[in-house]
Structure formats: C-alpha cells, structure tokens
Amino acid sequence: MTDQRPQYGELATPEEQRRAAGLPPLSEVVAEPVFTTPAPGPVVADAAPRRPHAVDRFVTIGLLAYGLINVIVTALSYLDLTRVMNESMKILGIEGEFTNYDQGKLWGTIAAVVLVVGWSLTAWASIRRLRSAKVAWWVPLVGAVVTMLIASMCLAVPMFGDPAFMSYVGNVGGS
C-alpha cells in the first residue's frame, strides 16, 4: 500500500486536506441554506460622509465674530452699570439718577460673566456642529437670545431695586 498523503513541500489538494483532517469528501457534503432577516427600514446604499456647506460655515463664523465683539463691548459696559442705568433712565424719560450702586456693581459683574460664558458655550456648540458637517448657522442666534435673556434678568434685579425707577413704574401704572 502506498502512502497517499502529500510529502513535505508538496501542495495538497482540498480533497487531500479534508481526508488528512478526517473529514468526508466534498462530494458528500451538503451545504445548509443560510437564512438572513431583512433589515428593518430603508437601507442606504451610498452612505457618503456629509460635506460641510461653505455658506453655513461663513455665516456661522461671521455671527460668532460679531457676537464676540458685541460681548466684549457690552460686558465692559456692564462693569460700570451705574452709567448704563443712568443713560437708560434718561432715554426712558425717568427723573432722577440710579442710586442702587451695590447691587448694580454685583449684578453688572454677574451679567458680564453670563455674556462671556454664554458666548463661549455658543462657540463650542457651533464648532462641534461645523466639525460634524451639520448645519450650524442657527446656533449663534439661539445662543445670543438665551444669553441676552439671562443677562437681562440679571440687570433687572438692580433696576427694580432702584427707588427712582420704581417711582417711575408706580407713576406709569397709576396713571
């Protein structure tokens, strides 16, 4: 009887490999069917990455730059809130001067910090959306509205604590 196994260095056929491994010949093997379940929902054939919109990027960066300039100028003016309140009262036609100095200094500083933190969070969110190629032009607008709303509430505290302003509100409401 001759040895039918391949010698060292010889290539074995798939049949010889199966026989050496103790498996049945390929002719006797029946392939079992493979069942797959359909994917739920639509299958996207072309999942190319989104491209950033040049106009969106330009508008978003422009709004952030405008917001940064606005935040710097406004935050610096809030640090001298007495002057800002006196000018506001003069524009509204309120007699007298702003005299709630302690609360004006405290809440003016808080409002300035709110502006800086609000702009920083807005810039962070905008940049994240730009990097992920999502539309981002609306983020600076929403950030500005939310930040100014919170800063305005901070400014309302010393304004409503000022006797001249409250006298004006009482006269307007009582007329």
Side-chain angles (χ1 to χ4, degrees):
M1 206 165 161
T2 60
D3 189 14
Q4 293 181 346
R5 293 184 305 179
Q7 298 300 312
Y8 181 78
E10 290 182 341
L11 294 178
T13 65
E15 277 299 321
E16 292 171 334
Q17 291 175 6
R18 291 186 65 78
R19 191 173 44 244
L23 298 172
L26 284 175
S27 58
E28 296 177 10
V29 176
V30 177
E32 294 184 21
V34 178
F35 296 105
T36 60
T37 58
V43 176
V44 179
D46 184 22
R50 289 187 250 172
R51 293 194 172 272
H53 304 279
V55 174
D56 176 57
R57 182 175 296 275
F58 178 76
V59 169
T60 302
I61 292 171
L63 287 170
L64 287 173
Y66 175 75
L68 179 62
I69 293 168
N70 188 22
V71 163
I72 291 170
V73 170
T74 306
L76 289 174
S77 70
Y78 284 175
L79 295 177
D80 185 16
L81 194 62
T82 301
R83 182 184 55 78
V84 172
M85 290 297 186
N86 280 330
E87 289 175 9
S88 299
M89 289 169 66
K90 194 179 295 181
I91 290 170
L92 292 172
I94 299 174
E95 299 290 327
E97 289 187 7
F98 180 77
T99 57
N100 195 0
Y101 303 118
D102 291 336
Q103 280 194 352
K105 186 171 185 166
L106 172 68
W107 286 98
T109 304
I110 292 171
V113 169
V114 164
L115 287 177
V116 171
V117 169
W119 184 88
S120 299
L121 290 173
T122 300
W124 173 77
S126 298
I127 291 169
R128 278 190 58 150
R129 287 190 67 85
L130 285 174
R131 285 187 176 165
S132 63
K134 294 179 181 175
V135 176
W137 63 267
W138 59 271
V139 176
L141 297 176
V142 171
V145 168
V146 171
T147 300
M148 286 309 296
L149 181 66
I150 296 170
S152 297
M153 287 189 279
C154 293
L155 298 179
V157 173
M159 183 177 270
F160 283 111
D162 184 65
F165 181 76
M166 289 311 293
S167 173
Y168 172 75
V169 171
N171 290 336
V172 171
S175 303

